[in-house]
């Protein structure tokens, strides 16, 4: 439950940030998982951060583990945390 700024998690090297949403269809969801796994293998899992809603963190963590996607997850409480409505 610690507070982090983006500047706290970005490395000096390039970092890919992806915002996970629960509004995707199953086909899109599967494609995103495949693309994230490929990106982790290509760029390194330390170069990718996935932003996920806090209430979906556990489910997303399990899904990533089942699909062997070792990417960092950053949970946010709500969209306002990112300045989104």
């Amino acid at each position: 439950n610690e507070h982090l700024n983006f500047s706290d998690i970005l490395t000096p090297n390039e970092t890919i940030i992806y915002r996970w949403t629960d509004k995707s269809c199953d086909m899109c969801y599967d494609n995103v998982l495949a693309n994230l796994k490929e990106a982790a293998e290509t760029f390194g899992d330390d170069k990718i951060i996935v932003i996920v809603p806090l209430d979906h963190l556990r489910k997303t963590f399990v899904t990533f583990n089942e699909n062997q996607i070792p990417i960092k997850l950053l949970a946010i409480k709500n969209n306002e945390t990112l300045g989104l409505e």
Side-chain angles (χ1 to χ4, degrees):
N1 287 341
E2 65 181 292
H3 175 77
L4 294 172
N5 293 313
F6 276 115
S7 59
D8 297 329
I9 58 175
L10 295 176
T11 62
N13 301 322
E14 294 182 35
T15 301
I16 300 167
I17 298 176
Y18 181 81
R19 181 171 174 256
W20 194 262
T21 178
D22 58 347
K23 297 184 192 256
S24 298
C25 65
D26 287 341
M27 180 187 284
C28 297
Y29 186 80
D30 292 339
N31 286 336
V32 168
L33 285 176
N35 288 333
L36 285 171
K37 186 171 186 173
E38 181 180 343
E41 292 168 357
T42 302
F43 301 108
D45 55 11
D46 61 328
K47 302 284 187 228
I48 303 170
I49 298 169
V50 175
I51 299 171
V52 59
L54 184 60
D55 55 343
H56 294 283
L57 179 60
R58 181 168 164 39
K59 178 182 175 185
T60 305
F61 181 77
V62 169
T63 300
F64 276 40
N65 279 340
E66 288 174 348
N67 288 279
Q68 299 176 346
I69 304 172
I71 295 175
K72 296 178 202 168
L73 298 176
L74 175 64
I76 59 169
K77 207 177 244 189
N78 53 43
N79 284 335
E80 289 79 32
T81 304
L82 296 175
L84 304 172
E85 294 287 331

